[in-house]
């Protein structure tokens, strides 16, 4: 009797449950109601979930921009080489004169001769890069992998200590013992590049020509041809518009996809594989986002730009010296240190600060402070952004702490590239005709027009935009770091 009652109650419960389901199902689509027998109707995602899904996707895309910035930064420069010149991998791209505004890379130096060989070991195997001894000039620079992680510095502040040397770049997983006589650089990626600068002894045309010729003593070739090295092909980019500024739109993800397709996954980045898959970036598959995905990625890239720009503005809160508006934030120094160690610390991986740093510069040195050092200026002595419509003065005290030279270079605040259409972008201790005060100091001027009689000490600005300044110290001396020599703030000219 008990058993029959239980069955009866169960039957009534099932009937009631079915009734409730039918009662609560008026929102089923016509397609769902007409589902063929034996199949389950397709459940539509509620609007709230669709909104949440879009938010998650855009958040992942923002994180992908921050994480992928170093590799995209380098790929954009490489793409500019392919697009604007006839140079190829394992050749030498160089500028036969000082840079002008047509070099639209991130905060470049306009007082040196640039040489940027892009290498790829995937097909040719280990690659040799020969740096000449510092007997008639000096090369300052760094060899980096595809993520701009420094493999080694070169020249007087590098592994060869100015004696010259053969740097051997090994592809990922290379196990064959390297021959004797090489400075061996195992790389975790196939592609990479070197940022090399040939330093002038003075601002004269003669020394400029010597710096170019000295730089062209650098060689690059496959190790397989080391017994009879082919001549290095040099391609001059001095006359082209070399635009490698960061595009905060779908092009960023197209660049990131190129990197993912060519390079092996690094163990430290495996967690990103699934994140990128949700954005349509999958190793071995084409990146073909539909219109809806393109719209979402464009929006996310713009948000990433806004976020990074806000973090960038915060850098002024990390002064290099007490009371100074010039900054070299401590956390940026931590990125340099982590990169120098190949991010070996399992408890420290500064992805966000790395992304921020590589959104406004384009290399990471192995030994920061030995070959060069930088101070960033974004505001005047009152903490106000540097306005291109105003005129400013910077007094550089005598006895600047450098073995080689100092310079002050101006950049567009928004792009971090040289200000377009300007006649020149910097003044330095090597600038011809630079006026020096009686006490040995130098007054530099920045503004839309030159103060009367100060043309040789003036750098032009765009009156329609804000700007920033990088003050460089080449061959920095201890008085810079112990703060016994200080750089005053930029002051508006009343």
């Amino acid at each position: 009797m008990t058993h029959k009652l239980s069955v009866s109650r169960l039957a009534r419960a099932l009937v009631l449950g079915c009734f409730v389901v039918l009662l609560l199902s008026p929102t089923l689509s016509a397609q769902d109601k007409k589902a063929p027998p034996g199949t389950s109707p397709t459940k539509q995602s509620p609007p709230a979930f669709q909104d949440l899904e879009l938010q998650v996707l855009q958040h992942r895309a923002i994180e992908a921009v921050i994480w992928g910035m170093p590799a995209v930064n380098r790929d954009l420069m490489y793409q500019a080489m392919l697009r604007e010149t006839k140079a190829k991998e394992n050749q030498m791209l160089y500028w036969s004169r000082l840079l002008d505004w047509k070099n639209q890379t991130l905060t470049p130096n306009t007082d040196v001769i640039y040489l940027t060989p892009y290498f790829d070991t995937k097909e040719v195997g280990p690659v040799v890069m020969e740096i000449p001894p510092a007997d008639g000039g000096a090369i300052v620079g760094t060899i980096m992998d595809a993520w701009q992680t420094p493999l080694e510095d070169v020249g007087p502040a590098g592994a060869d200590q100015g004696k010259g040397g053969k740097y051997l770049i090994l592809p990922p997983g290379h196990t064959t013992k390297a021959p004797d006589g090489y400075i061996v650089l195992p790389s975790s990626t196939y592609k990479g590049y070197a940022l090399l600068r040939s330093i002038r002894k003075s601002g004269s045309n003669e020394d400029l020509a010597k710096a170019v010729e000295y730089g062209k003593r650098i060689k690059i070739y496959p190790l397989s041809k080391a017994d009879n090295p082919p001549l290095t092909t040099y391609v001059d980019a001095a006359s082209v518009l070399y635009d490698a500024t960061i595009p905060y739109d779908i092009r960023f993800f197209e660049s990131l996809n190129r990197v993912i397709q060519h390079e092996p996954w690094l163990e430290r980045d495996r967690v990103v594989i699934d994140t990128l898959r949700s954005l349509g970036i999958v190793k071995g598959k084409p990146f073909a986002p539909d219109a809806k995905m393109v719209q979402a990625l464009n929006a996310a890239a713009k948000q990433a730009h806004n976020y990074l720009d806000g973090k960038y503005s915060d850098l002024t809160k990390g002064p290099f010296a007490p009371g100074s508006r010039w900054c070299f934030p401590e956390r940026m120094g931590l990125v340099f240190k982590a990169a120098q160690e190949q991010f070996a610390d399992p408890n420290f991986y500064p992805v966000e600060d790395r992304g921020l740093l590589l959104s406004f510069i384009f290399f990471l040195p192995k030994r920061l402070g030995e070959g060069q050092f930088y101070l960033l200026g974004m505001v005047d002595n009152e903490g106000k952004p540097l306005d291109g419509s105003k005129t400013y003065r910077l007094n550089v005290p005598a006895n600047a702490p450098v073995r080689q030279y100092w310079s002050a270079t101006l950049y567009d605040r928004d792009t971090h590239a040289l200000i377009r259409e300007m006649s020149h972008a910097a003044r330095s201790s090597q600038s011809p005709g630079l006026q020096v005060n009686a006490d040995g100091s130098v007054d530099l001027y920045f503004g839309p027009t030159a103060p009367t009689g100060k043309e040789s000490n003036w750098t032009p600005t765009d009156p329609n935009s804000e700007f920033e300044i990088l003050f460089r110290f080449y061959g920095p001396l201890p008085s810079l770091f112990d703060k016994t020599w200080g750089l005053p703030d930029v002051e508006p000219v009343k």
Side-chain angles (χ1 to χ4, degrees), residues 152-183:
E152 188 53 86
D153 291 340
V154 306
D160 63 272
Q161 298 182 331
K163 299 176 183 177
K166 296 180 179 181
Y167 292 79
L168 181 61
I169 305 158
L170 304 180
H174 187 82
T175 56
T176 304
K177 186 179 183 300
D180 293 335
Y182 291 91
I183 300 170

Side-chain angles (χ1 to χ4, degrees), residues 303-338:
Q303 288 180 308
H305 185 203
N306 292 339
Y307 179 75
L308 289 171
D309 191 64
K311 301 290 285 187
Y312 181 71
S313 297
D314 285 344
L315 295 182
T316 57
K317 299 175 183 177
F320 177 68
S324 173
R325 300 288 185 179
W326 294 96
C327 59
F328 183 84
E330 181 180 356
R331 72 174 191 266
M332 294 295 103
L334 294 176
V335 176
F336 282 114
K337 184 176 185 300

Side-chain angles (χ1 to χ4, degrees), residues 320 369 401-403 475-485:
F320 177 68
V402 292
R403 289 188 298 273
L477 296 174
S479 59
L480 173 64
F481 303 107
D482 64 22
K483 317 295 171 60
T484 55
W485 185 94

Side-chain angles (χ1 to χ4, degrees), residues 345-399:
D345 185 346
N347 299 309
F348 185 62
Y349 190 20
V351 170
E352 180 166 304
D353 283 338
R354 182 187 67 174
L356 172 60
L357 185 62
L358 271 303
S359 72
F360 66 91
I361 68 172
F362 65 105
F363 91 110
L364 295 176
K366 185 76 171 178
R367 301 173 181 84
L368 181 66
E370 294 187 26
Q372 62 278 318
F373 194 78
Y374 312 86
L375 291 178
L376 174 63
M378 291 186 283
V379 297
D380 63 17
N381 60 328
E382 297 178 351
K384 297 178 181 179
L386 298 175
D387 183 344
S389 67
K390 298 179 180 179
T391 298
Y392 299 87
R393 182 179 71 94
L394 170 63
N395 177 258
V396 183
N399 303 314

